[in-house]
Every structure is written in structure tokens, then in C-alpha cells.
Amino acid sequence: MAYTGNKIAHFRKKNGLTQEDIRQEVYKQTGKKFRQGTISSWENGKTAPDMDILSVLASILRVSVDDLYDRPGPEIEDIMTADLIRFKDGLAEAQGLFAQQNAKEAYQHMEALCIEMLKKMNTISGSYEKVQAQLRAVREITRM
């Protein structure tokens, strides 16, 4: 599934526009100037456009604001459920190793599992931050 930034890039390319074209068109419509890397930053998901810019961006790209947002589907939920099951099974395996008096191997197994879980949590945290930015943008739209 494409993230909001990927969607900006997708629709930009679909309309045959460059990042510079977007930057200039946003300036024409809003009077706001952006650094050269701003559009790239949006497309890479590092930052998100402000709400007032988002609606202008949507019109430039000939899409609705909603089209630029992620809608997590059931496949995301399935992946997360599969991860939780895998982590639960990994913990059960480590418990089994401890029960067999194999503390060193159990520790190594737990360490690897914790590293994997932390990486997954980092990914989820990044997604959460993007969703928070999107919610702020939606709140700004509703205030208009």
C-alpha cells in the first residue's frame, strides 16, 4: 500500500509534473515559497504538507485530499496479527529453552526476538507519527 508521500509522487508523475513544477504551481496559488527539497521531503514521507497546502496540492494533482491519504486495509491488520503470533511463539520457545535449563541459548533467542520486536515497534511508531500528522491536517481542513 502506498503511503501519502508515495501517493503525492504517484499522482505527480501521472500528471507529467516535476517536483519543480509542483513547487512553482504551489507558489503561484498560495504565494508560499518552498526549498527545493521540500516536495521530495513530502514524497519520501519525511515531512507532510500543511493543510492549506494539501488542498492546493490536491487540486494541482487533480485528486481529492482523501486520495492523498492512506487507508490501512485488512492486509495491514493481518501482517500485524502475524507478527504478534510470531513474537508470542518466539517467547514460548524461549520459555521452553529456560525450562530445559538451557539459559544461554534462551537468552540469545530472547535477545534476537527483542531486537526484532524493537525494529517492528520503530516502524509502527513512524507510521503512528504520520497518522498523527494526517489527523492534524484533517482537523485543519474541518476548521476551514
Side-chain angles (χ1 to χ4, degrees):
M1 167 168 301
Y3 292 96
T4 303
N6 298 89
K7 289 181 179 185
I8 293 170
H10 168 77
F11 290 122
R12 175 181 60 78
K13 292 173 185 173
K14 184 177 178 182
N15 284 290
L17 299 170
T18 65
Q19 291 178 349
E20 183 60 26
D21 294 333
I22 297 291
R23 194 166 73 101
Q24 289 176 7
E25 191 60 34
V26 168
Y27 175 69
K28 279 185 206 173
Q29 292 188 31
T30 66
K32 292 186 178 183
K33 290 186 178 183
F34 294 103
R35 294 181 294 105
Q36 188 164 354
T38 300
I39 309 301
S40 175
S41 183
W42 294 345
E43 291 182 356
N44 292 320
K46 293 179 182 173
T47 61
D50 292 336
M51 204 56 238
D52 57 331
I53 301 301
L54 192 62
S55 60
V56 171
L57 185 61
S59 75
I60 293 167
L61 297 173
R62 299 182 185 136
V63 297
S64 72
V65 172
D66 286 346
D67 290 334
L68 295 176
Y69 282 104
D70 293 10
R71 289 183 194 90
E75 67 276 3
I76 299 293
E77 200 170 293
D78 293 344
I79 290 168
M80 294 178 90
T81 301
D83 285 334
L84 290 173
I85 291 169
R86 193 174 74 256
F87 293 147
K88 181 182 171 199
D89 292 344
L91 288 171
E93 187 177 334
Q95 284 177 322
L97 291 169
F98 274 118
Q100 295 171 3
Q101 305 296 321
N102 195 344
K104 184 177 180 178
E105 191 175 340
Y107 172 78
Q108 290 170 340
H109 185 75
M110 285 295 296
E111 184 178 38
L113 187 61
C114 286
I115 290 169
E116 185 181 348
M117 289 171 70
L118 286 171
K119 285 180 184 176
K120 187 64 176 181
M121 288 172 60
N122 238 356
T123 301
I124 292 169
S125 175
S127 296
Y128 174 77
E129 290 170 7
K130 287 179 185 178
V131 168
Q132 288 297 317
Q134 291 171 348
L135 286 173
R136 283 191 297 275
V138 169
R139 285 186 192 118
E140 287 295 318
I141 285 177
T142 58
R143 287 185 213 164
M144 293 178 151

